[in-house]
Amino acid sequence: MSQDVNEIPKKRGRPPSEAAQKRALEAAHDILMADGFGRLTIEAVAARSGVGKPTIYRSWANAQELAMAALLVNPMPEVEAKGATAQAALGAQMRGLVTAFASTRGRQITMALAAADPESEFTKAFRNQVILSSRNAGRVILEQALARGEITQPMDLEALLDMIYGPVFFRLLVGHRPVSPEFGDAVVATALRAVAPSGA
């Protein structure tokens, strides 16, 4: 059976503790912000965080994946998962993405992605750690909103997710227009109108 294209590949072995993942991500974020993408290695993160390399590799396949995850280590403003509307939760996620990629390192990564081979490890890392992770988080938000009756059943949930995330990543990679928090809010509001209950 083929793997779902929207599923992030699972790593083998016992999952690392949340504390170890957090230390590794924070160390990777510090290295990325201070020294840039090219200086971020698994060895450097292990030395800085005190987390063993085998543990790091159980969460991220390579340094590129770790770098992408580190860019988004503090991506979202605080939003209570329980009780937050879909618009508030998705809006917070969008603002986090915009903030991360508007940083100096984020812009450097975006420019490198625009010129990268689609089959490169760099591009695959962006797909797994940014695009698919964002979509998976958005899917949970929408499913919770559906269970609360806040939205109606979409004709195609994957198409709705594409409507939400596609415009943001398109602007990031093509660069024809700026990506701003206001743009993210507008995308979310427009997409959610398609599944708003009657009379809302």
Side-chain angles (χ1 to χ4, degrees):
M1 182 180 293
S2 62
Q3 181 173 303
D4 188 333
V5 295
N6 293 306
E7 181 182 348
I8 297 173
K10 302 292 191 299
K11 306 296 188 296
R12 294 181 179 180
R14 185 179 63 186
S17 71
E18 288 186 11
Q21 285 182 318
K22 183 179 179 182
R23 290 202 311 274
L25 276 174
E26 288 175 347
H29 183 268
D30 290 345
I31 294 169
L32 180 65
M33 293 300 113
D35 302 324
F37 182 79
R39 296 293 184 89
L40 196 158
T41 65
I42 298 295
E43 290 75 11
V45 172
R48 189 181 187 108
S49 66
V51 177
K53 288 196 294 182
T55 299
I56 295 173
Y57 277 119
R58 282 200 294 272
S59 292
W60 302 281
N62 49 46
Q64 288 92 339
E65 281 201 0
L66 181 51
M68 293 295 178
L71 181 66
L72 302 176
V73 70
N74 298 308
M76 301 182 197
E78 289 298 321
V79 172
E80 289 293 332
K82 293 181 179 178
T85 65
Q87 186 155 346
L90 289 169
Q93 185 192 38
M94 284 293 184
R95 286 190 291 278
L97 285 169
V98 169
T99 299
F101 281 95
S103 69
T104 299
R105 300 307 182 194
R107 289 195 300 270
Q108 289 172 347
I109 286 175
T110 299
M111 288 188 293
L113 278 165
D117 184 321
E119 295 304 314
S120 69
E121 292 301 322
F122 185 43
T123 304
K124 290 177 183 177
F126 178 74
R127 176 179 179 270
N128 288 336
Q129 295 298 317
V130 179
I131 296 178
L132 295 187
S133 288
S134 297
R135 282 173 58 91
N136 287 343
R139 184 180 291 105
V140 171
I141 292 169
L142 291 173
E143 288 172 347
Q144 290 173 345
L146 182 61
R148 293 193 300 266
E150 184 184 328
I151 63 173
T152 61
Q153 179 68 51
M155 292 181 62
D156 186 326
L157 179 58
E158 296 305 320
L160 181 60
L161 288 165
D162 283 342
M163 288 171 64
I164 294 169
Y165 297 100
V168 176
F169 294 126
F170 182 76
R171 283 200 180 187
L172 281 174
L173 295 176
V174 176
H176 65 298
R177 297 280 292 171
V179 178
S180 65
E182 293 76 19
F183 171 67
D185 288 342
V187 168
V188 170
T190 301
L192 289 181
R193 284 197 195 102
V195 287
S198 257

